[in-house]
Amino acid sequence: MSDGKIFDKTDLAILRILLQDARRTLQEIGAEVGLSPTSCWSRIKRLQDEGVIKRYTVEVDPASLGYQDTVIVQLTLESHTEDTLYAFGQVLATIPEILEAYLVSGDYDYYIRIAVRDTRDYERLLREKLYKIPGIRHSKSHFVLRVLKQSTVPV
């Protein structure tokens, strides 16, 4: 893994290009950073091997698939044993509407970001999925009104 490693300006330039559009060709990326396609590929391969580049993916607009709303749920569990936290995480992973889930410090145990079609869809998800998970003590929901910033890691 790349923990603590320093990357040169060419590595960072390649990462910025890939974050913007991972479909760019080696020729295009190389020309933009001043490398041959072969040298460019060597750097990308090294970044993959070191775990810096974890995967290539597609960003989909949730609203175009009918998911008009995002809900942030703060959640607290009854128990905090390692087994309970592991089991809870495993169940969350099976719920497709859950986009992200974070175990956090503070007043709540988890922050969960959920995509829903509307308020009725959220109520259904609560009744049929989330509240069926054993061990939930308390939850608090917040509908996102507007996204002000959404980005990847700064490169």
Side-chain angles (χ1 to χ4, degrees):
M1 194 85 157
S2 62
D3 294 331
K5 286 191 178 180
I6 306 281
F7 301 101
D8 68 19
K9 65 180 183 173
T10 304
D11 291 333
L12 296 175
I14 290 170
L15 289 172
R16 276 191 290 275
I17 292 166
L18 290 172
L19 282 168
Q20 188 177 43
D21 182 1
R23 296 177 302 161
R24 300 271 302 269
T25 67
L26 289 172
Q27 290 79 8
E28 291 171 335
I29 298 169
E32 196 165 322
V33 300
L35 294 175
S36 71
T38 303
S39 295
C40 187
W41 170 243
S42 294
R43 284 184 181 248
I44 291 171
K45 180 77 170 104
R46 179 180 50 79
L47 292 167
Q48 290 172 342
D49 292 344
E50 292 177 355
V52 176
I53 297 174
K54 294 167 68 172
R55 65 187 173 116
Y56 295 88
T57 187
V58 172
E59 185 177 348
V60 176
D61 175 32
S64 68
L65 297 175
Y67 293 97
Q68 301 296 327
D69 291 315
T70 300
V71 182
I72 307 296
V73 179
Q74 297 170 286
L75 200 136
T76 302
L77 300 180
E78 293 286 345
S79 168
H80 299 96
T81 67
E82 207 48 50
D83 289 342
T84 301
L85 296 176
Y86 177 78
F88 184 70
Q90 292 297 106
V91 173
L92 290 184
T94 68
I95 302 172
E97 295 90 346
I98 295 179
L99 304 175
E100 297 171 304
Y102 301 97
L103 176 61
V104 297
S105 61
D107 295 336
Y108 290 87
D109 298 325
Y110 289 91
Y111 280 9
I112 301 168
R113 188 167 69 93
I114 300 174
V116 293
R117 297 180 188 286
D118 53 32
T119 55
R120 285 194 175 164
D121 189 38
Y122 181 58
E123 186 215 357
R124 176 206 51 81
L125 183 125
L126 286 177
R127 277 186 294 101
E128 295 177 5
K129 296 181 181 179
L130 201 59
Y131 288 163
K132 287 194 175 182
I133 303 172
I136 295 176
R137 179 181 356 157
H138 178 70
S139 71
K140 187 176 184 180
S141 301
H142 307 272
F143 272 78
V144 173
L145 301 177
R146 183 182 311 156
V147 176
L148 302 177
K149 180 180 180 185
Q150 190 170 22
S151 65
T152 62
V153 65
V155 179

